Amino acid sequence: MAIAAQFHRIARPDRREITCFIDGAPVAAFEGDTVLTAVLTQRRDLRRFEFSSATRSGFCLMGACQDCWVWTAEGARLRACSTLAADGLRIVTGLKAQDDGGQADV
């Protein structure tokens, strides 16, 4: 059984659709979406907590709490809540797709 997404769009934005990659999987997003929005419209959690097996989904949504750190495929760290998704952007969260319950290699 697939786990529902954390965020749900209530209207289709009047913005250009883009494709970014989350843990290797293509994800549709819209120009102006944050990385956090791109991820959480697809699945329930953003990443795994560094200090336990718990998952994180962002907390403050304004870049202060540091709960939304993810990485680019090149290894740069960024805040998902304040970084805009870009066409072709490749993000590594440390989580595999939620329906298999596994953890990705980072």
Side-chain angles (χ1 to χ4, degrees), residues 59-82:
F59 180 70
C60 73
L61 305 179
M62 62 182 195
C65 74
Q66 307 203 18
D67 200 40
C68 66
W69 286 113
V70 294
W71 300 264
T72 65
E74 296 77 27
R77 199 166 82 146
L78 54 86
R79 288 185 178 134
C81 73
S82 58

Side-chain angles (χ1 to χ4, degrees), residues 1 7 9 26 41 48 53-54 67 72 74-76 86 90 93 95 102:
M1 179 174 97
F7 291 172
R9 290 192 191 277
T41 55
R48 191 153 320 274
S53 62
D67 200 40
T72 65
E74 296 77 27
R90 294 183 178 275
T93 69
L95 291 176

Side-chain angles (χ1 to χ4, degrees), residues 1 3 12 20 25 27 55 68 71 76 79 84 103:
M1 179 174 97
I3 296 174
R12 185 171 180 94
C20 51
V27 170
T55 55
C68 66
W71 300 264
R79 288 185 178 134
L84 295 180
Q103 183 171 359

Side-chain angles (χ1 to χ4, degrees), residues 11-84:
R12 185 171 180 94
D14 188 22
R15 296 178 275 145
R16 185 173 73 92
E17 189 170 304
I18 60 172
T19 301
C20 51
F21 297 84
I22 309 297
D23 297 324
V27 170
F30 293 93
E31 283 183 333
D33 282 355
T34 63
V35 170
L36 186 68
T37 298
V39 174
L40 294 183
T41 55
Q42 304 299 311
R43 61 187 196 196
R44 187 100 184 129
D45 302 304
L46 177 65
R47 65 181 184 91
R48 191 153 320 274
F49 189 49
E50 302 92 317
F51 306 109
S52 74
S53 62
T55 55
R56 312 304 288 171
S57 297
F59 180 70
C60 73
L61 305 179
M62 62 182 195
C65 74
Q66 307 203 18
D67 200 40
C68 66
W69 286 113
V70 294
W71 300 264
T72 65
E74 296 77 27
R77 199 166 82 146
L78 54 86
R79 288 185 178 134
C81 73
S82 58
T83 301
L84 295 180

